[in-house]
Amino acid sequence: MPLTATPPPRPRIRFDRNELAGAFGDLGTDLPLLIGIIAASGMDSAGVLIMFGLMQVFSGLWYGMPMPVQPLKAFAALVIAQKIPGRVIFGGGLAIGVSMLLLSVTGLIDALARLVPKPVIRGIQFGLALQLATLALKEYVPADGLAGYVLAAAAFLVTVVLLGNRRWPAALVVLALGVSYGLLFKLDFATAHRAIGLHLPGWQVPTWDNVKYGAILLALPQIPLSLGNSVLATRQVVEDYFPERPLSVRQISFTYGLMNLINPFLGGFPVCHGSGGMVGHYTFGGRTGGSVVLYGGLFLVLGLGFSQGFQQIVQIFPLPILGVLLLFEALTLATLLRDISGSRSSLLLALLVGLLCSGLPYGYLVGLLAGTALYYAMQRGWVGLGK
């Protein structure tokens, strides 16, 4: 009887055109947030960009899979809305770093992972998909008027035709389209020239007051989203895409905490892992840590060489292109619901959690708590969502 050949293990790090294409899978989420953060907080753009790039490289090398880092989204929303200064951001980053590290080393994060059921995790991912799709269709695609719609339509068709093509990765073709459009219609050579110059991050030391106010204003609203999406949902995505290389929630929360114990001292914005980021890299071709290392390299180049004109330089890249990348990331996240679609009650619960997460203030906290409570009430027969 012939033996079935065991497929060779995936390499931890690889650099090729597919890894390069995957490297841009999360750009539509990260880039606008970083621009808004720098503008609202007055943080030094060199520190923000360089540390963001270094954390990507660290994560790619540590995990050897497309596990990117993202700016903390609740942090970012509050910073942009309230124009919170950098010193409070550094304190809040240190506070959440300590919190996540404690959850990891004490094992409390494992207890939480055992408590939260899979339909709730899928609901959190679906809620993120709804938010990303809404952002793509309402903010990014219409950004350049009629020309933007035409550009987005062309990028959409290219992506549909080439998605999954290993010879001609969709993301690279779409990005080439966006860069060509930006160079032809948006580039201001004088602005670009003034932006060039070497810059390094400066040393920062958060005070106790910075940590205290940052914890109250920023870390507390962030923790529910981090637990749901950055840790639990990310672990689930690893299980979906890399079943041969299981990761524990303790490992993910450990590196989450570690990064945020380093970032504040060198002017970096707090970061997390994220299921959406991993799905984005995977969707467009990333299969190893190489896609994340390449992504980090992009931000290192921007931070070291172009940080003083960062906000002006990135304006040449058309938002409709980012919108298309973001939309396909959202669609891939939404399709993760398929593994619970055989159970009507599980699917309805996940859809409900997703709507709560995407539609309410502190929605991820509400979705996590309400969804988990409803799941166990269903298990005991107290309520029913159908079979």
Side-chain angles (χ1 to χ4, degrees), residues 259-272:
M259 290 187 295
N260 288 306
L261 294 183
I262 298 169
N263 255 329
F265 294 103
L266 289 167
F269 190 81
V271 295
C272 62

Side-chain angles (χ1 to χ4, degrees), residues 202-237:
W203 181 253
Q204 309 287 335
V205 181
T207 66
W208 169 244
D209 280 343
N210 297 157
V211 175
K212 179 175 64 177
Y213 289 120
I216 295 169
L217 293 174
L218 298 171
L220 285 178
Q222 176 66 48
I223 286 175
L225 175 57
S226 290
L227 294 176
N229 181 57
S230 303
V231 179
L232 300 180
T234 300
R235 193 277 305 269
Q236 184 60 57
V237 171

Side-chain angles (χ1 to χ4, degrees), residues 302-319:
L302 286 173
L304 289 169
F306 301 93
S307 60
Q308 301 313 298
F310 170 68
Q311 294 186 60
Q312 290 73 37
I313 289 175
V314 296
Q315 296 303 321
I316 72 168
F317 194 83
L319 283 178

